[in-house]
Amino acid sequence: MSEHISAGRRFRRAIEAERPLQVVGTINAYCAILAEKAGHRAIYLSGAGVANASFGLPDLGITSRNDVLEEVRRITGVSPLPLLVDIDTGWGEEFGIARTVKEMIRAGAAAVHLEDQVEPKRCGHRPNKSVVSRSRMADRIKVAVDARDDGDFMIMARTDALATEGLEAAVERAALYVEAGAESIFAEGVTDLATYSQFADAIAVPLLANMTEFGKTPYYTKEQFAEQGVAMVLYPLSAFRAMSKAALDVYETILHAGTQEPVVAAMQPREELYDLLHYYDYEQTLDRLSARGTAESGEEGR
């Protein structure tokens, strides 16, 4: 009988196996399948991705816990890759955060990151952010840690204080969050490699770098991040942005060219889709069931 390995344990093993671990954003279940096919070890569900892709809304705290949980269940239902989930500020304080953590574990997530912004939160690479007090964020972390019924499930603390309070204060916050029980730190809005090094030196837990596009952080390589002690590099919406541009190109081509033929070469072939979804396995099962039903109907008619 094979050993059951929890999602949290798989995530921790991935961090140990690949330094830095590249964690790619998957906005839906099919993207999770594609990330696994490409060879990635861990995936991510962005709150912005849920808001943008599933609801057509901006990332301003408009979507709910249940909105995100539904996507978590869909992704973990088809992919064995450990899933890190963006839970913003936790959807509430004590009881709300505890409920969020318990339901994320139940839905199959491997880890969550909880941030120190005020509610409603803003995108980490936009202006006019505000953060709660250090003690309030420490309380959020303690509640999240205490709510776990799976010790392998990882609680990551995200700090947005670099933009609002400066480097020294942000690093101090990160160290305090680790004391409160956070098992990894997400430093948001970092603008240079030396800053990552200062965060890494101040904490004894894995550090995550957010390598989002069109934001404040330059396009550093994973090798550059490794030199600064970064343990994880996050690419939250890279595929989604590429998919969105490709979709717009297809829609415009169909409208103006009167046919999709000019862009067919850029499309995923039907056979590749079928292969990834194991379509023919399902179809063969359906054929067997249909044949059995026809045979049973014939016997009853005798």
Side-chain angles (χ1 to χ4, degrees):
M1 188 173 184
S2 60
E3 174 192 7
H4 172 71
I5 302 174
S6 71
R9 177 60 60 86
R10 294 198 304 273
F11 188 53
R12 292 170 188 270
R13 289 183 177 181
I15 295 171
E16 293 171 359
E18 181 184 336
R19 283 297 179 105
L21 174 66
Q22 293 181 297
V23 185
V24 292
T26 54
I27 61 165
N28 56 35
Y30 188 59
C31 284
I33 293 172
L34 293 173
E36 182 182 356
K37 174 70 173 177
H40 285 283
R41 295 175 184 265
I43 52 179
Y44 175 69
L45 180 62
S46 159
V50 173
N52 301 163
S54 296
F55 291 90
L57 293 171
D59 180 28
L60 291 170
I62 301 172
T63 48
S64 70
R65 175 196 297 113
N66 287 339
D67 295 333
V68 176
L69 277 167
E70 182 60 34
E71 297 298 342
V72 172
R73 295 187 192 101
R74 290 171 178 171
I75 290 170
T76 60
V78 301
S79 175
L81 295 181
L83 176 67
L84 168 62
V85 181
D86 176 3
I87 61 169
D88 292 339
T89 57
W91 295 290
E93 291 303 323
E94 286 79 2
F95 296 125
I97 292 171
R99 180 184 171 195
T100 297
V101 169
K102 290 181 182 296
E103 293 199 18
M104 287 291 164
I105 294 172
R106 191 175 300 118
V112 295
H113 67 73
L114 178 66
E115 63 195 61
D116 58 6
Q117 283 199 50
V118 300
E119 296 182 72
K121 56 77 55 80
R122 294 172 182 259
C123 170
H125 290 251
R126 295 294 300 158
N128 302 320
K129 296 187 295 183
S130 297
V131 294
V132 299
S133 68
R134 300 181 186 193
S135 60
R136 186 173 180 186
M137 180 57 179
D139 287 342
R140 286 179 178 176
I141 295 166
K142 291 173 183 176
V143 168
V145 171
D146 290 344
R148 293 184 302 186
D149 54 13
D150 175 4
D152 288 329
F153 185 81
M154 182 177 286
I155 304 296
M156 180 184 297
R158 167 177 149 174
T159 181
D160 285 73
L162 182 63
T164 61
E165 298 179 347
L167 176 57
E168 183 177 352
V171 170
E172 289 175 355
R173 277 179 175 263
L176 177 63
Y177 298 167
V178 173
E179 290 180 12
E183 296 175 294
S184 55
I185 293 294
F186 180 154
E188 178 64 306
V190 177
T191 58
D192 60 86
L193 287 171
T195 297
Y196 284 112
S197 181
Q198 290 185 253
F199 273 103
D201 289 344
I203 60 175
V205 298
L207 174 66
L208 179 143
N210 185 14
M211 194 59 271
T212 190
E213 299 81 22
F214 315 114
K216 295 184 176 183
T217 308
Y219 297 116
Y220 297 124
T221 66
K222 71 173 187 176
E223 290 78 17
Q224 288 175 301
F225 281 121
E227 291 173 357
Q228 308 307 317
V230 172
M232 292 169 276
V233 183
L234 179 64
Y235 307 84
L237 291 170
S238 305
F240 169 64
R241 291 190 172 106
M243 292 160 58
S244 298
K245 186 177 187 305
L248 183 59
D249 288 345
V250 169
Y251 295 146
E252 290 177 343
T253 297
I254 291 172
L255 179 65
H256 298 297
T259 173
Q260 73 272 50
E261 186 175 4
V263 290
V264 167
M267 296 182 184
Q268 182 186 54
R270 182 191 299 265
E271 285 300 318
E272 187 174 324
L273 171 71
Y274 283 4
D275 180 60
L276 288 168
L277 297 181
H278 307 290
Y279 176 88
Y280 293 114
D281 293 340
Y282 283 96
E283 189 173 66
Q284 288 169 10
T285 299
L286 183 61
D287 290 342
R288 286 196 300 271
L289 292 173
S290 297
R292 183 186 305 167
T294 301
E296 290 175 352
S297 297
E299 291 176 0
E300 290 174 359
R302 290 176 183 173

